[in-house]
Amino acid sequence: MTPEKSRKPLNLRQRSTLAGEAAAAAAEVETALATPADPTAAAFFDVDNTLMQGASIFHLARGMHRRKFFTTREIASAAWKQAYFRIVGVEDPDHVAQTRVSALSFISGHTVKELEDLGEEIFDEAMAHRIWPGTRALAQMHLDEGQRVWLVTAAPIEIARIIARRLGLTGALGTVAEHVDGVYTGRLVGDMLHGPAKGEAVRALAEREGLDLAACSAYSDSYNDLTMLSLVGDPCAVNPDARLRAYAKRQGWRIRDYRTGRKAARVGLVAAAVAGAATGAVAAGAAVRRRR
């Protein structure tokens, strides 16, 4: 992806549109369905907490940390955001903004090939066993009906493609990072594929692929994905946060929750998650001191 010609600051709407169009342009169509039986219908799945437990970008960051890409303090901060995201089930706007900056620092200066190779390893060690079986079954149902299935995620497009390919899905839409001669510059094309940008990406892909959005389905856990969910004729809230659950009930949308004992154990899990993150950070710090 070449640098943008103009460096004039873009507003949120412009960044979302650019991110969506870039994601659709970069979407790689896999061979899960060479000749779709239903070429006008498709399903769009969010990844974080919808298809996969927790945040995929955190799993990527942790894997990169293990390979000495950044410091223990940085991964401890990411661990807290991950614990908050998993237990509370709501994406904090400040956390999203901070993640945007962090995501750039993770890959800036590294090559596309490097990230792709790392992504393959990290999927096997940290992501594969976190796929929700219920959501995976929903995706397979659409494939079995002859429909195409795309992931739509804020994770880097390179990682999104790996997840889609490993699960036998059609392809993926993800955040597009700018790179020159195969090396990441530390800038995004537009913005993260988050919130309204997902809707722009789905619209652009539907136009390109000749999809009838009224015949399509979309799945997400987050109220922030309301734009994407509202575009299709068959929206479904999966492991929804409180706002999305309430909205889905009012609209008569399908709701699927594959979390077990979540509400009853929330208080205990919060304490355990925070303690676990703190313990991990302390242990990592001790290990660093021992090496020194």
Side-chain angles (χ1 to χ4, degrees):
M1 187 67 62
T2 57
E4 299 168 48
K5 293 182 180 179
S6 173
R7 292 302 176 193
K8 182 179 179 180
L10 303 176
N11 62 34
L12 178 59
R13 172 69 179 180
Q14 291 171 321
R15 293 202 309 271
S16 294
T17 300
L18 183 56
E21 291 174 348
E28 183 175 288
V29 178
E30 302 292 349
T31 57
L33 292 171
T35 306
D38 190 353
T40 63
F44 303 96
F45 284 80
D46 170 53
V47 174
D48 297 348
N49 220 33
T50 301
L51 178 68
M52 178 186 299
Q53 185 179 15
S56 54
I57 197 168
F58 170 79
H59 300 315
L60 174 65
R62 185 171 61 177
M64 294 178 77
H65 172 258
R66 288 173 176 167
R67 292 161 176 82
K68 314 303 180 188
F69 277 79
F70 43 84
T71 68
T72 298
R73 175 176 292 184
E74 290 168 328
I75 196 64
S77 174
W80 161 245
K81 294 181 179 66
Q82 167 75 351
Y84 181 95
F85 178 63
R86 286 183 58 184
I87 306 305
V88 181
V90 177
E91 298 175 41
D92 185 305
D94 290 336
H95 288 182
V96 171
Q98 292 166 16
T99 298
R100 181 180 185 274
V101 176
S102 298
L104 293 175
S105 67
F106 289 169
I107 63 176
S108 178
H110 296 290
T111 67
V112 174
K113 179 65 163 59
E114 194 175 12
L115 184 63
E116 289 173 341
D117 290 344
L118 278 174
E120 295 283 356
E121 296 177 12
I122 293 169
F123 178 85
D124 288 332
E125 73 182 32
M127 297 182 185
H129 65 282
R130 289 186 167 90
I131 301 297
W132 294 107
T135 311
R136 177 67 186 88
L138 289 173
Q140 187 61 49
M141 176 190 71
H142 287 283
L143 293 173
D144 292 344
E145 291 177 355
Q147 299 176 6
R148 288 170 284 180
V149 177
W150 274 281
L151 301 182
V152 187
T153 175
I157 183 65
E158 293 82 3
I159 303 305
R161 286 171 176 166
I162 290 170
I163 298 171
R165 185 173 66 252
R166 291 299 193 91
L167 297 181
L169 307 182
T170 309
L173 302 166
T175 296
V176 178
E178 180 185 271
H179 54 82
V180 177
D181 296 329
V183 179
Y184 292 108
T185 65
R187 292 184 291 268
L188 298 180
V189 177
D191 210 334
M192 288 182 67
L193 196 69
H194 182 268
K198 288 187 177 182
E200 297 293 344
V202 169
R203 281 196 190 95
L205 184 67
E207 182 176 353
R208 190 188 83 183
E209 297 294 319
L211 299 173
D212 176 8
L213 287 174
C216 293
S217 303
Y219 299 83
S220 178
D221 70 295
S222 175
Y223 187 83
N224 291 321
D225 287 342
L226 202 58
T227 302
M228 178 180 76
L229 292 168
S230 300
L231 279 177
V232 301
D234 177 37
C236 180
V238 177
N239 304 331
D241 61 37
R243 292 180 69 193
L244 180 59
R245 182 182 293 274
Y247 187 89
K249 285 182 177 179
R250 291 197 300 270
Q251 298 298 317
W253 293 355
R254 288 183 296 141
I255 299 174
R256 299 288 184 270
D257 200 326
Y258 301 116
R259 298 164 294 188
T260 58
R262 177 174 178 269
K263 292 182 179 179
R266 175 176 292 177
V267 175
L269 282 173
V270 169
V274 173
T279 300
V282 171
V288 170
R289 287 194 295 272
R290 284 196 298 272
R291 284 198 301 274
R292 288 177 179 172

